[in-house]
């Protein structure tokens, strides 16, 4: 397959609310090759969760989605409900954040995984799946409350893998977990990726996590992509001032410049109903000038595989 | 460190907190199991460890919210009071900052009322408005009067955490206990709140005990780091020493999985931290310890000690591989 697994073109997601329309995603384009991992970074309200929900049409009724989403050559936004249901598990599956709120507390975890399989294929591979995610088979009859946070997240991953998807979307899969358990889950995802050739979209606000798991990185701010490039290089050599600030928020231990010098940005992420004019980041930007409040900004290439949306670059 | 003992504001000696088991007849849970720790006046100490290691229980004990089952905690050279009025007076001097600002402030109170609450509880009526304004301004909410009549839902997450800090500061305490002060905040806001805490220590001489699992936070603001495992401090030293040259195998493993740290080979410990109702015999870390599990402890001739002798904190490290058992006996 030469065509990319996923192509998103000029996607806009606008929620309806009593206060009027809320534009959560504003003109995002991206693509993902089979087997590739894309890290999607941004803070709460930046639109990253809305973006991935729109990929699988999991947005609430009344939400306007424009642009196009093409998965393995098919237009997702035009699919009939039956086809969409098949695609949702068999081609792309989501691991949500906060496993404790997603799993049904009164059903055994084995049944919950089986349910995901039954809906789609009918084969019986719960035990294999549990083993693949590192949970002993004997735990299939456990209820979610009998499992630890890390184990619950593993069950979620097993469910997502139940129908052999090509694409796994992981929305903050490790944020609620302890450092050691976080490392275990990241290791599991990395193993699955290399064993199964899974493509992944990995969402978090912690750039340091992304730089180790992702091939490429895309950073969102106020519903737009502000920078996109190779993951490892971007953690240390970000161009966009917002990406720089995000990277600096999680210091390198051992780096003298961050010792007793926490780095942050003044101000808060913008309210999606009142996005600043011009470059939406300009009110918080350390290098902004007057023209930033009026100039239109779009991603512009800095090098063959690197783009940033900043008129100062 | 002999001189340091005399200037410490807080001194924990053999502190223990035991909860009775949830199941009838079950073994008691030793959440804090013999902690010796001193905080110097004006320092920022980060207490780090996995969830369930007892760090939050220890913080509660320091605030007098949780009675000790053994050992002692001294504040300014005096044991923590046990009477209601004594504890009330103590809490003027030792204040808590919770991790989730939305969960720790009353959504129906105005910002003014939230910050003034401490003053009202302690019946300090003089100059209330002025003191609230100063606390808000000190917490970075300026001009403070603009915030008086606003409600928590009108503020951003970072501003709410500043309100919580202002509420703690209004009584001008000398000790602040912050439990995961930035874990619920956005990445770009986190640095600002850490700068605020660091400023309180540097400009006001505030002593801060920050409880966290975030080693980057410790690197950003802490003078010293204490690493807790299953109710016990297993290593304590300056932040530079702990984060750049850790000695305890548990500290090494914790650091190796922090991706910001690329100089150590990753050592992912299997399993989750074991249960404090069943603390292993000998060194409590030995069932997960890479030194013990790899057979290195056998080669060092300490494996038996790891299984049977509970190591004490010697020169800031509780590990038989670092302080071989024969050495303690000799000294």
């Amino acid at each position: 397959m030469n065509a990319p697994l996923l192509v998103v073109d000029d996607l806009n997601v606008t929620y309806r609310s009593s206060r009027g329309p809320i534009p959560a995603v504003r003109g995002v384009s991206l693509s993902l090759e089979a087997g590739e991992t894309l890290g999607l970074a941004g803070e709460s309200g930046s639109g990253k969760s809305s973006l991935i929900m729109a990929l699988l049409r999991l947005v609430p009724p009344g939400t306007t989605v424009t642009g196009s989403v093409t998965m393995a050559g098919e237009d997702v936004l035009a699919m009939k409900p039956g086809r969409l249901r098949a695609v949702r598990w068999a081609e792309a599956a989501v691991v949500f954040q906060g496993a404790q709120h997603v799993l049904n507390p009164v059903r055994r975890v084995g049944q919950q995984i089986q349910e995901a399989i039954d809906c789609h294929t009918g084969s019986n591979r719960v035990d294999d799946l549990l083993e693949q995610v590192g949970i002993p088979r004997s735990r299939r009859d456990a209820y979610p409350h009998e499992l630890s946070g890390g184990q619950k997240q593993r069950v979620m991953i097993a469910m997502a893998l139940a129908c052999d998807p090509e694409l796994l979307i992981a929305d903050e899969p490790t944020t609620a977990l302890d450092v050691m358990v976080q490392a275990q889950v990241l290791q599991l995802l990395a193993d699955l990726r290399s064993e199964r050739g899974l493509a992944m979209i990995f969402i978090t606000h912690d750039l340091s996590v992304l730089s180790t798991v992702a091939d490429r990185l895309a950073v969102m701010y106020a519903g737009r992509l502000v920078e996109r490039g190779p993951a490892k290089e971007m953690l240390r050599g970000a161009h966009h001032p917002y990406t720089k600030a995000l990277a600096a928020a999680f210091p390198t231990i051992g780096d003298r410049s961050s010792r007793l010098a926490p780095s942050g940005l003044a101000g808060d992420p913008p309210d999606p109903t009142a996005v600043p004019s011009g470059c939406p980041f300009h009110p918080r930007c350390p290098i902004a000038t007057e023209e930033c409040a009026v100039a239109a900004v779009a991603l512009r290439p800095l090098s063959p595989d690197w783009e940033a949306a900043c008129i100062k670059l | 460190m002999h001189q340091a003992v005399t200037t410490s504001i807080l001194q924990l000696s053999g502190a223990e907190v035991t909860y009775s088991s949830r199941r009838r007849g079950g073994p008691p849970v030793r959440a804090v199991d013999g902690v010796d720790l001193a905080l110097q006046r004006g320092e920022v100490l980060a207490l780090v460890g996995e969830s369930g290691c007892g760090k939050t229980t220890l913080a509660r004990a320091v605030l007098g919210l949780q009675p000790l089952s053994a050992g002692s905690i001294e504040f300014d050279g005096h044991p923590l009071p046990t009477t209601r009025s004594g504890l009330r007076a103590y809490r003027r001097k030792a204040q808590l900052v919770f991790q989730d600002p939305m969960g720790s402030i009353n959504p129906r109170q105005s910002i003014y009322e939230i910050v003034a609450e401490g003053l009202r509880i302690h019946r300090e009526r003089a100059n209330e408005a002025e003191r609230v304004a100063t606390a808000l301004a000190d917490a970075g909410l300026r001009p403070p009067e603009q915030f008086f009549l606003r409600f928590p839902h009108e503020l951003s997450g970072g501003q709410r955490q500043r309100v919580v800090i202002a509420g703690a500061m209004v009584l001008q305490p000398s000790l602040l206990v912050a439990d995961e002060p930035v874990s619920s905040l956005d990445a770009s806001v986190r640095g600002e709140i850490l700068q605020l805490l660091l400023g309180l220590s540097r400009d006001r001489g505030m002593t801060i005990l920050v409880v966290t699992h975030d080693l980057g936070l410790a690197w950003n603001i802490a003078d010293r780091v204490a690493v807790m495992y299953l109710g016990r401090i297993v290593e304590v030293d300056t932040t530079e020493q702990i984060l750049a040259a850790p000695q305890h195998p548990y500290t090494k493993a914790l650091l190796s999985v922090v991706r910001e740290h690329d100089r150590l080979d990753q050592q992912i410990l299997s399993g989750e931290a074991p249960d404090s109702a069943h603390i292993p015999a000998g060194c409590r870390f030995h069932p997960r310890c890479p030194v013990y599990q790899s057979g290195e402890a056998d080669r060092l001739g300490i494996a038996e000690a790891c299984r049977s002798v509970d190591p004490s904190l010697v020169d800031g490290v509780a590990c038989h591989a670092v302080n071989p058992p024969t050495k303690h006996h000799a000294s």
Side-chain angles (χ1 to χ4, degrees):
Chain A
M1 259 205 337
N2 286 327
L5 178 65
L6 175 73
V7 181
V8 176
D9 189 39
D10 193 25
L11 189 74
N12 288 276
V13 179
T14 308
Y15 294 113
R16 201 166 57 180
S17 83
S18 53
R19 293 187 297 154
I22 301 175
V25 177
R26 304 183 300 141
V28 168
S29 301
L30 51 84
S31 71
L32 187 72
E33 306 289 332
E36 187 186 28
T37 299
L38 174 73
L40 192 58
E43 297 177 90
S44 47
S46 65
K48 55 194 196 314
S49 294
S50 300
L51 169 65
I52 56 139
M53 290 305 194
L55 295 185
L56 291 175
R57 281 170 52 191
L58 291 166
V59 292
T63 307
T64 315
V65 179
T66 64
S68 77
V69 176
T70 314
M71 203 173 294
E74 278 183 279
D75 182 355
V76 177
L77 300 185
M79 272 176 198
K80 295 217 163 62
R83 178 67 193 139
L84 182 65
R85 222 170 47 223
V87 166
R88 272 184 192 156
W89 286 90
E91 284 187 28
V94 189
V95 178
F96 294 98
Q97 55 184 319
Q100 52 275 53
H101 306 301
V102 179
L103 293 173
N104 184 339
V106 295
R107 301 203 59 199
R108 301 176 197 277
V109 294
Q111 289 174 337
Q112 298 193 49
I113 299 173
Q114 186 63 48
E115 200 175 327
I117 299 171
D118 289 345
C119 287
H120 299 276
T121 63
S123 67
N124 182 355
R125 347 181 264 119
V126 173
D127 289 353
D128 295 344
L129 283 165
L130 282 174
E131 202 144 276
Q132 275 188 46
V133 298
I135 294 183
R137 286 162 187 247
S138 58
R139 303 300 283 159
R140 72 175 286 165
D141 290 332
Y143 289 98
H145 77 269
E146 298 175 286
L147 303 179
S148 66
Q151 286 177 322
K152 276 185 273 203
Q153 198 55 276
R154 287 168 191 267
V155 169
M156 294 287 296
I157 294 172
M159 285 172 72
L161 295 176
C163 301
D164 267 322
E166 303 249 334
L167 170 64
L168 187 71
I169 298 172
D171 188 1
E172 307 259 10
T174 61
T175 23
L177 305 175
D178 252 325
V179 268
M180 199 56 74
V181 182
Q182 205 174 62
Q184 292 165 2
V185 172
L186 290 176
Q187 182 70 55
L188 169 66
L189 289 172
D191 291 346
L192 289 170
R193 194 186 125 179
S194 56
E195 284 161 22
R196 295 172 160 238
L198 267 178
M200 277 178 32
I201 297 180
F202 200 107
I203 297 177
T204 171
H205 65 272
D206 186 344
L207 277 193
S208 60
V209 170
L210 290 182
S211 70
T212 59
V213 299
D215 304 309
R216 284 189 305 138
L217 214 57
V219 180
M220 285 187 83
Y221 189 78
R224 290 213 170 120
L225 290 186
V226 295
E227 186 164 6
R228 163 157 77 186
K232 286 190 181 48
E233 290 78 357
M234 246 169 97
L235 182 65
R236 297 280 158 259
H239 292 286
H240 195 285
Y242 177 65
T243 316
K244 280 187 181 162
L246 262 194
F250 297 94
T252 306
I253 289 169
D255 170 17
R256 302 301 315 177
S257 67
S258 60
R259 175 72 185 126
L260 296 177
S263 155
L265 272 175
D268 293 287
D271 178 348
T273 55
V275 176
S277 63
C279 168
F281 184 57
H282 83 265
R284 305 174 75 194
C285 180
I287 61 167
T289 54
E290 279 170 20
E291 54 182 332
C292 295
V294 289
V297 282
L299 283 176
R300 288 185 307 170
L302 300 169
S303 64
D305 59 350
W306 205 318
E307 293 171 295
C310 175
I311 57 168
K312 296 285 164 194
L313 299 173
Chain B
M1 298 273 277
H2 294 295
Q3 197 196 355
V5 174
T6 58
T7 64
S8 59
I9 183 168
L10 191 74
Q11 176 80 48
L12 286 81
S13 312
E16 282 183 29
V17 177
T18 308
Y19 297 112
S20 54
S21 171
R22 235 183 287 175
R23 275 182 213 147
R24 214 165 4 142
V29 175
R30 280 138 63 198
V32 176
D33 192 33
V35 165
D36 299 309
L37 187 65
L39 256 78
Q40 314 310 320
R41 200 171 290 280
E43 81 168 334
V44 180
L45 182 113
L47 183 63
V48 305
E50 292 168 273
S51 41
C53 74
K55 55 191 196 297
T56 296
T57 304
L58 184 62
R60 288 173 53 86
V62 162
L63 288 161
L65 296 168
Q66 177 67 51
L68 294 185
S69 40
S72 70
I73 299 179
E74 288 187 358
F75 180 83
D76 262 344
H78 303 288
L80 286 200
T82 46
T83 60
R84 274 182 74 130
S85 61
L87 276 172
R88 199 153 120 161
Y90 171 62
R91 291 197 193 111
R92 283 208 45 186
K93 294 180 255 170
Q95 284 281 322
L96 174 64
V97 174
F98 289 98
Q99 60 178 285
D100 175 14
M102 219 36 197
S104 57
I105 54 187
N106 184 340
R108 302 183 61 173
Q109 279 187 331
S110 68
I111 302 306
Y112 182 92
E113 288 172 304
I114 292 167
V115 177
E117 190 172 17
L119 295 173
R120 291 176 181 172
I121 289 172
H122 292 281
R123 302 205 179 83
E124 300 194 9
R125 296 203 182 84
N127 311 326
E128 189 184 88
E130 195 181 315
R131 294 178 69 178
V132 170
T134 309
L136 283 170
D138 287 349
L141 297 169
R142 299 190 196 96
E145 291 77 14
Q146 275 194 7
F147 290 90
F148 279 4
L149 297 178
R150 295 173 74 182
F151 286 88
H153 69 89
E154 299 174 74
L155 306 187
S156 68
Q159 286 174 328
R160 283 197 287 262
Q161 191 61 300
R162 288 174 189 274
V163 169
V164 172
I165 294 172
M169 292 296 297
V170 74
L171 289 161
Q172 299 184 307
S174 41
L175 172 68
L176 209 57
V177 176
D179 190 357
E180 299 283 10
V182 293
S183 65
S184 68
L185 302 179
D186 266 326
S188 69
V189 178
R190 161 198 157 95
E192 295 259 297
I193 298 294
L194 293 181
Q195 271 165 12
L196 171 61
L197 291 174
L198 186 61
L200 291 175
S201 132
R202 293 303 181 260
D203 307 337
R204 304 291 175 85
M206 176 85 71
T207 309
I208 302 178
L209 174 65
V210 53
V211 176
T212 185
H213 66 273
D214 179 346
L215 297 166
L217 180 158
W219 180 256
N220 271 158
I221 67 167
D223 298 301
R224 288 195 302 146
V225 176
V227 182
M228 198 163 177
Y229 184 79
L230 263 186
R232 185 76 63 85
I233 305 291
V234 296
E235 186 167 8
V236 56
D237 210 327
T238 61
T239 303
E240 280 85 357
Q241 188 63 35
I242 294 266
L243 298 186
Q247 296 199 62
H248 196 285
Y250 177 63
T251 316
K252 287 185 187 169
L254 259 192
L255 266 167
S256 76
V257 299
V258 177
R259 291 149 306 274
E260 292 88 339
H261 205 297
D262 41 19
R263 275 174 289 164
L264 294 164
D265 285 333
Q266 221 186 26
Q267 275 176 346
I268 301 180
L269 300 176
S270 54
E272 324 233 343
D275 168 6
S276 43
H278 302 97
I279 294 178
C283 170
R284 59 197 61 216
F285 183 54
H286 87 265
R288 292 173 88 198
C289 178
V291 174
Y292 180 82
Q293 297 296 338
S294 68
E296 198 185 327
D298 268 319
R299 286 191 292 281
L300 293 168
I302 55 166
E304 183 50 39
C306 293
R307 282 189 298 268
S308 58
V309 182
D310 194 357
S312 48
L313 206 55
V314 177
D315 297 331
V317 193
C319 173
H320 294 311
V322 179
N323 304 300
T326 48
K327 210 171 85 185
H328 311 209
H329 296 172
S331 58

